[in-house]
Amino acid sequence: MSTVVSVDTSDIRFPTSERLDGSDAMNPDPDYSAAYVRIGTDAADGLEGHGFVFTIGRGNDVQAAAIRALSPWLVGRNAEELLADLGGFWRELVGDSQLRWLGPEKGVVHMAIGAVVNALWDLRAKRAGLPLWQLLSRMSPEEIVDLVDFRYLGDALTRDDALGILRAAEPGRAERERTLLAEGYPAYTTTPGWLGYADEKLERLCREAVADGFGMIKLKVGGDVDDDVRRLRIARDTVGPDLRIAIDANQRWEVGEAIAWISRLAEFDPAWIEEPTSPDDVLGHAAIARAIAPIPVATGEHCSGRVMFKQFLQAGALSVLQLDATRVAGVNENIAILLLAAKFGVPVCPHAGGVGLCEAVQHLSMFDVVAVAGTTKGRVLEYVDHLHEHFVTPVEVRGGVYHPPTTPGNGMEMLARSRERHEFRG
Amino acid sequence: MSTVVSVDTSDIRFPTSERLDGSDAMNPDPDYSAAYVRIGTDAADGLEGHGFVFTIGRGNDVQAAAIRALSPWLVGRNAEELLADLGGFWRELVGDSQLRWLGPEKGVVHMAIGAVVNALWDLRAKRAGLPLWQLLSRMSPEEIVDLVDFRYLGDALTRDDALGILRAAEPGRAERERTLLAEGYPAYTTTPGWLGYADEKLERLCREAVADGFGMIKLKVGGDVDDDVRRLRIARDTVGPDLRIAIDANQRWEVGEAIAWISRLAEFDPAWIEEPTSPDDVLGHAAIARAIAPIPVATGEHCSGRVMFKQFLQAGALSVLQLDATRVAGVNENIAILLLAAKFGVPVCPHAGGVGLCEAVQHLSMFDVVAVAGTTKGRVLEYVDHLHEHFVTPVEVRGGVYHPPTTPGNGMEMLARSRERHEFRG
């Protein structure tokens, strides 16, 4: 028996804007940041649950304040009871009628709930002595659906649908886990493609991506169409015709503008076009998808929750689903999203990069292949070579694949010295 | 020449949950609250701009913290420049790439921007010596469209479309203003219909609504269908066949459930069904609207911004648009929403009630009738008889209509003694 005794938040910021790492058409100068939380108990094991919301600088203090405001829901609670019913705790927080008014289920408060939920999953995985992906992959279909709130999904995915998906994937779990451990999970790299990089740097990083064994790279587009054509030509000439090149407009365009712009870039055979317009615009994405077919539309890193993903799937507005580890309300909501994607037969290729997103989201993709979708077909996990050195268990990406983490936890724990050194003091 | 010198925020909460005022199927015990801001300058006039975000209790501290975090964008700025280009200031704040990550354009940060923008409009109106609705109604079409960010609206509403709408309404402005001042703006009352009220209280309040001259009342539904049938029967028997009765489910249902439930209530001839399901579910609302036609679907009080409203209109998912004074990023975004509604020919019947929402939103409806839609046809403005005594300029609702405010400002200024008495101290 143990009790939650502490919820410590911190505002951690890295000055990434100084080198234009992470620069794109909408985010010219991000300072990759984490509104970070540590949940402690009075258990003798001394284990802590760590979680965070990734932000890009200003406002990280507000995000941290929102996490701090959730401590009354945690401090003094029986830890074993909380960890044994994370589905119930999720519903308690997300369903709190007064908090709910501030979204509902979107924005700062929703992401704060995600940080807390993820930190509890970290603690649960550490107690179990398993990396999160293995912990989830060994739960029964019934235990997994109990984690999910099916509210508002009824016209697309029921509890029975979800059970059917999970049961269908059950027989091959052990074999897929072995394959994953032996062969890894396919990665792609966004490292070459930031908009602020000079052509020479783009070319050099494209060559390195090929040499590193990646099967796909991603380039930021949307600033200027002639620049995009030139940069895509450099990239295509450098990587050859077979390596896939995805492009990412980071919400830059109007619907009609997106269609025209993408048509200009079609000759470079894009693997997908990511975030062509407002992340809230289901109907706009659907119109773009129809107009540019067969080029796939990808989106999700700014998708506020499962109700929006449901609609993107219903409308055929995306054909690559890019969930994010810290945009929605944590592991539980991301399981709902993985199940929705499986129901619609759409591959999940998560958003990563930032700070700690690769470390975190790989667990969801690995759970997906072992226990939900049951395949890596059409799936590829974003990789950016930034800031991994700040984590207790940095990702291992070699030969173009993610090698599964074996350390207990959710991967989000940042080194204490990094947290201290990069604490933001205004 | 004056400079912004202070941005004071406060966390103000009223213990409304004690009497079940405001109780509905999703919000059983709201404590009506305001995350409040006062913007001061060093001008000799001593005028302050007041604004707030309405919340229902827990989390109001987070909302206030988000407003406070915006003070670096305000303090030290030239007040005349800010007030002369509120469209530019809106784009500066909403478009800030780092802040934007926390939405984008939704939730706590977006509403905080709304509070600040509304407070600046209050200051501008006070300086002009006009109530906000008159200030807006006397601007030229060009000045009005300069306030609006048309980003992501291009497939539904362009700047030229908006200019056309405003110019078409220009000739009758003065006459409509006179009519409004003489006759008022039609109101409906939600006072009788809270879910927590006993049948006797419902019946008494229905009788009072008729006696007070209202042409429409609204009842909360969605808790239990047999209760809803009984309460609607009481209401219909009390008010007679001609008075309109709207019903409001406050997001309680799944899509299929909504269709079935509303069918049970159709015999009472509802004026509209409000918020049948998740406020993010455009496609769900569209499915409900098709299934229950000709009963109109109303929504908007939780609609996070103009991109969502655009889609609700494109999809035919609402036929009554209920904008809210503090849910989106202030007056500027609400002008975009009024223009979208006018483009699609859909009436705007704002959400009000809460604390101060009636005082605030009436300005938008009155601007709509004078300078945008140019009509009150199909329009009716919510009224709830709560908490008006806390405002410097409480609404004047008599004979079933809102009488236009004539005091300078946006109506959001709360009495200093009320602010002090209800300051929340945790």
Side-chain angles (χ1 to χ4, degrees):
Chain A
M1 288 280 287
S2 64
T3 301
V4 175
V5 294
S6 62
V7 176
D8 292 312
T9 59
S10 32
D11 174 354
I12 298 166
R13 307 193 197 187
F14 299 89
T16 45
S17 60
E18 292 169 7
R19 296 196 311 165
L20 299 183
D21 297 342
S23 56
D24 64 49
M26 287 292 272
N27 307 295
D29 55 354
D31 289 314
Y32 285 172
S33 303
Y36 197 93
V37 63
R38 289 183 299 145
I39 298 177
T41 77
D42 59 5
D45 59 19
L47 294 173
E48 288 177 341
H50 291 235
F52 60 82
V53 176
F54 169 63
T55 84
I56 62 170
R58 287 182 290 279
N60 200 49
D61 48 339
V62 176
Q63 187 61 62
I67 298 172
R68 199 174 312 121
L70 300 177
S71 48
W73 277 265
L74 289 159
V75 174
R77 296 279 288 263
N78 177 299
E80 287 72 31
E81 283 175 18
L82 273 186
L83 298 179
D85 183 19
L86 286 171
F89 182 69
W90 192 95
R91 276 182 280 267
E92 181 185 332
L93 268 184
V94 174
D96 178 276
S97 62
Q98 296 191 357
L99 278 187
R100 191 177 180 280
W101 190 269
L102 298 169
E105 302 194 26
K106 61 177 71 71
V108 166
V109 168
H110 200 56
M111 295 192 287
I113 293 172
V116 161
V117 166
N118 283 339
L120 290 172
W121 276 106
D122 186 51
L123 183 58
R124 180 164 162 179
K126 285 172 176 168
R127 285 188 171 191
L130 289 171
L132 176 63
W133 69 273
Q134 274 182 330
L135 174 68
L136 294 172
S137 299
R138 292 171 186 189
M139 293 172 78
S140 72
E142 290 73 16
E143 287 172 314
I144 295 169
V145 296
D146 284 346
L147 299 171
V148 172
D149 188 351
F150 289 94
R151 176 162 237 176
Y152 301 136
L153 301 184
D155 54 335
L157 177 79
T158 64
R159 185 184 162 93
D160 281 347
D161 293 338
L163 275 174
I165 290 164
L166 294 165
R167 284 179 183 146
E170 238 183 332
R173 283 183 178 189
E175 189 190 330
R176 287 192 297 273
E177 189 174 320
R178 281 193 299 275
T179 305
L180 187 60
L181 286 163
E183 300 175 8
Y185 194 99
Y188 75 89
T189 176
T190 306
T191 298
W194 301 109
L195 216 51
Y197 287 177
D199 290 354
E200 295 71 22
K201 187 167 182 179
L202 165 65
E203 188 182 335
R204 173 172 58 79
L205 293 172
C206 284
R207 275 198 310 274
E208 290 177 14
V210 176
D212 288 343
F214 290 102
M216 181 169 123
I217 62 171
K218 189 164 80 186
L219 261 62
K220 300 293 180 174
V221 297
D224 175 279
V225 70
D226 294 320
D227 284 345
D228 289 346
V229 168
R230 191 190 71 253
R231 293 171 63 255
L232 271 164
R233 181 157 292 131
I234 291 168
R236 181 53 81 204
D237 288 350
T238 308
V239 303
D242 296 331
L243 194 132
R244 299 168 73 212
I245 304 178
I247 56 176
D248 183 356
N250 291 88
Q251 314 171 21
R252 192 69 167 75
W253 300 315
E254 299 295 297
V255 172
E257 190 182 13
I259 294 167
W261 199 302
I262 298 161
S263 306
R264 283 280 313 271
L265 307 182
E267 62 171 303
F268 303 105
D269 187 24
W272 70 57
I273 170 66
E274 181 170 331
E275 290 204 307
T277 189
S278 163
D280 298 327
D281 197 346
V282 177
L283 301 178
H285 279 81
I288 294 167
R290 284 191 301 273
I292 66 166
I295 300 172
V297 170
T299 192
E301 73 182 73
H302 271 91
C303 192
S304 54
R306 69 199 188 288
V307 176
M308 293 303 291
F309 275 116
K310 177 187 78 165
Q311 293 176 83
F312 272 95
L313 291 163
Q314 288 172 319
L318 62 74
S319 44
V320 174
L321 190 151
Q322 303 182 294
L323 60 76
D324 179 284
T326 82
R327 174 66 59 188
V328 300
V331 167
N332 298 59
E333 188 160 14
N334 268 322
I335 293 174
I337 294 163
L338 290 173
L339 287 163
L340 278 166
K343 173 79 188 290
F344 283 85
V346 162
V348 175
C349 302
H351 172 243
V355 55
L357 293 180
C358 298
E359 278 71 17
V361 87
Q362 61 177 337
H363 290 272
L364 298 169
S365 279
M366 291 172 189
F367 165 62
D368 185 43
V369 62
V370 174
V372 186
T375 177
T376 56
K377 187 166 182 299
R379 285 154 177 82
V380 60
L381 182 45
E382 184 163 23
Y383 174 66
V384 188
D385 66 354
H386 292 162
L387 305 174
H388 302 292
E389 66 276 18
H390 298 293
F391 287 84
V392 171
T393 312
V395 289
E396 292 186 38
V397 173
R398 295 185 313 274
V401 301
Y402 274 80
H403 292 278
T406 53
T407 316
N410 70 1
M412 298 177 102
E413 183 169 349
M414 203 182 280
L415 294 168
R417 66 168 180 274
S418 293
R419 286 190 270 118
E420 285 152 21
R421 193 171 305 161
H422 293 280
E423 177 92 35
F424 183 72
R425 293 184 177 87
Chain B
M1 288 281 288
S2 63
T3 301
V4 176
V5 294
S6 62
V7 176
D8 291 312
T9 59
S10 32
D11 174 354
I12 298 166
R13 307 194 197 187
F14 299 89
T16 45
S17 60
E18 291 169 6
R19 296 195 312 164
L20 298 182
D21 296 343
S23 57
D24 64 49
M26 288 292 272
N27 306 296
D29 55 354
D31 289 314
Y32 285 173
S33 303
Y36 197 92
V37 62
R38 289 185 299 145
I39 298 177
T41 77
D42 59 5
D45 59 18
L47 295 173
E48 288 177 340
H50 290 236
F52 60 80
V53 176
F54 169 62
T55 84
I56 62 171
R58 288 181 289 280
N60 200 50
D61 48 340
V62 176
Q63 187 61 62
I67 298 171
R68 199 173 311 121
L70 300 177
S71 50
W73 277 265
L74 290 159
V75 174
R77 295 279 288 262
N78 178 299
E80 287 72 30
E81 284 175 17
L82 273 186
L83 297 179
D85 183 19
L86 285 171
F89 182 69
W90 192 95
R91 275 181 280 268
E92 180 185 333
L93 268 183
V94 174
D96 179 275
S97 62
Q98 296 191 357
L99 279 187
R100 190 177 181 280
W101 189 268
L102 298 169
E105 302 193 27
K106 61 177 72 71
V108 166
V109 167
H110 200 56
M111 295 192 287
I113 293 172
V116 161
V117 166
N118 284 340
L120 290 172
W121 276 105
D122 186 50
L123 183 57
R124 180 164 162 180
K126 286 172 176 168
R127 285 188 171 191
L130 290 171
L132 176 63
W133 70 273
Q134 274 182 330
L135 174 68
L136 294 173
S137 298
R138 292 171 186 189
M139 293 173 77
S140 72
E142 290 72 17
E143 288 172 313
I144 295 170
V145 296
D146 283 345
L147 299 171
V148 171
D149 188 352
F150 290 94
R151 176 162 238 176
Y152 300 138
L153 300 184
D155 54 333
L157 178 79
T158 64
R159 185 184 162 93
D160 281 347
D161 293 338
L163 274 175
I165 291 164
L166 294 164
R167 284 178 183 148
E170 240 183 331
R173 283 183 179 189
E175 188 190 331
R176 287 192 296 274
E177 189 174 319
R178 280 192 300 275
T179 306
L180 187 60
L181 286 163
E183 300 176 8
Y185 195 100
Y188 74 90
T189 175
T190 305
T191 298
W194 301 109
L195 215 51
Y197 288 177
D199 290 354
E200 294 72 23
K201 186 168 184 181
L202 165 66
E203 188 182 335
R204 172 172 60 80
L205 293 172
C206 284
R207 275 198 310 274
E208 290 177 14
V210 175
D212 288 343
F214 291 101
M216 180 169 123
I217 62 171
K218 189 165 80 186
L219 261 62
K220 300 293 180 174
V221 298
D224 175 277
V225 70
D226 293 322
D227 284 345
D228 289 346
V229 168
R230 192 189 71 254
R231 293 171 63 254
L232 271 165
R233 180 158 292 132
I234 292 168
R236 182 53 81 203
D237 288 350
T238 308
V239 302
D242 297 331
L243 194 133
R244 299 169 73 211
I245 304 178
I247 55 176
D248 183 356
N250 291 89
Q251 314 170 19
R252 193 66 168 74
W253 300 316
E254 298 295 298
V255 172
E257 190 182 13
I259 295 167
W261 199 301
I262 298 161
S263 305
R264 282 282 310 273
L265 308 181
E267 63 171 302
F268 302 105
D269 188 21
W272 70 59
I273 170 65
E274 181 171 331
E275 290 204 307
T277 188
S278 164
D280 298 327
D281 198 348
V282 177
L283 301 178
H285 279 81
I288 293 166
R290 284 190 300 272
I292 66 167
I295 299 172
V297 170
T299 191
E301 71 182 75
H302 271 91
C303 192
S304 54
R306 70 198 188 287
V307 176
M308 293 303 290
F309 276 116
K310 176 187 80 166
Q311 294 176 82
F312 272 94
L313 291 163
Q314 288 172 320
L318 62 74
S319 45
V320 174
L321 190 151
Q322 303 182 294
L323 60 76
D324 179 284
T326 82
R327 174 65 60 188
V328 300
V331 167
N332 298 58
E333 187 159 15
N334 268 323
I335 293 175
I337 294 163
L338 290 173
L339 288 163
L340 278 166
K343 173 79 188 289
F344 283 85
V346 163
V348 175
C349 302
H351 172 243
V355 55
L357 294 180
C358 298
E359 278 71 17
V361 87
Q362 61 177 336
H363 291 271
L364 297 169
S365 279
M366 292 172 187
F367 164 61
D368 186 43
V369 63
V370 174
V372 186
T375 176
T376 56
K377 187 167 182 297
R379 285 154 177 81
V380 60
L381 182 45
E382 184 163 23
Y383 174 66
V384 188
D385 65 353
H386 291 163
L387 306 173
H388 302 291
E389 65 276 18
H390 299 292
F391 288 84
V392 172
T393 312
V395 289
E396 291 185 40
V397 174
R398 297 185 312 276
V401 302
Y402 274 81
H403 292 278
T406 53
T407 316
N410 69 1
M412 298 177 103
E413 183 169 349
M414 202 182 281
L415 294 168
R417 67 168 180 275
S418 293
R419 286 189 270 117
E420 284 152 22
R421 193 172 304 160
H422 292 282
E423 177 92 36
F424 184 72
R425 293 184 178 85

